[in-house]
Amino acid sequence: MITFQEAEIRSNIIKALAHPVRLMVVDLLREGEKLFSEINSTFQFDKSTVSKHLTVLKEAGIVSS
């Protein structure tokens, strides 16, 4: 059985992945490292929106900069 702390970590990861854009970013990064501009050009959002999605993924420990 996992500890409560481990369950919290897993829950935060699941929450971070619970958005289509963030799932797409993770899938894009499976191919390898990307510059922000490469990630940003994939979406039709302004830079701040993409940046916020990346921040959520980073805070969950899913991506790094």
Side-chain angles (χ1 to χ4, degrees):
M1 177 177 266
I2 64 172
T3 66
F4 184 80
Q5 185 178 10
E6 290 169 328
E8 261 188 327
I9 292 168
R10 290 180 186 185
S11 174
N12 288 334
I13 291 170
I14 292 167
K15 288 176 190 175
L17 292 173
H19 192 283
V21 171
R22 293 193 287 266
L23 283 174
M24 291 172 71
V25 169
V26 170
D27 191 58
L28 180 66
L29 292 172
R30 287 176 42 170
E31 300 170 4
E33 293 182 4
K34 303 280 186 233
L35 297 173
F36 176 81
S37 59
E38 293 174 290
I39 296 169
N40 189 52
S41 68
T42 304
F43 304 99
Q44 295 180 355
F45 303 121
D46 57 62
K47 291 179 184 179
S48 65
T49 301
V50 175
S51 180
K52 288 176 186 177
H53 284 297
L54 287 169
T55 298
V56 171
L57 293 171
K58 187 175 179 182
E59 288 176 353
I62 298 168
V63 300
S64 62
S65 56

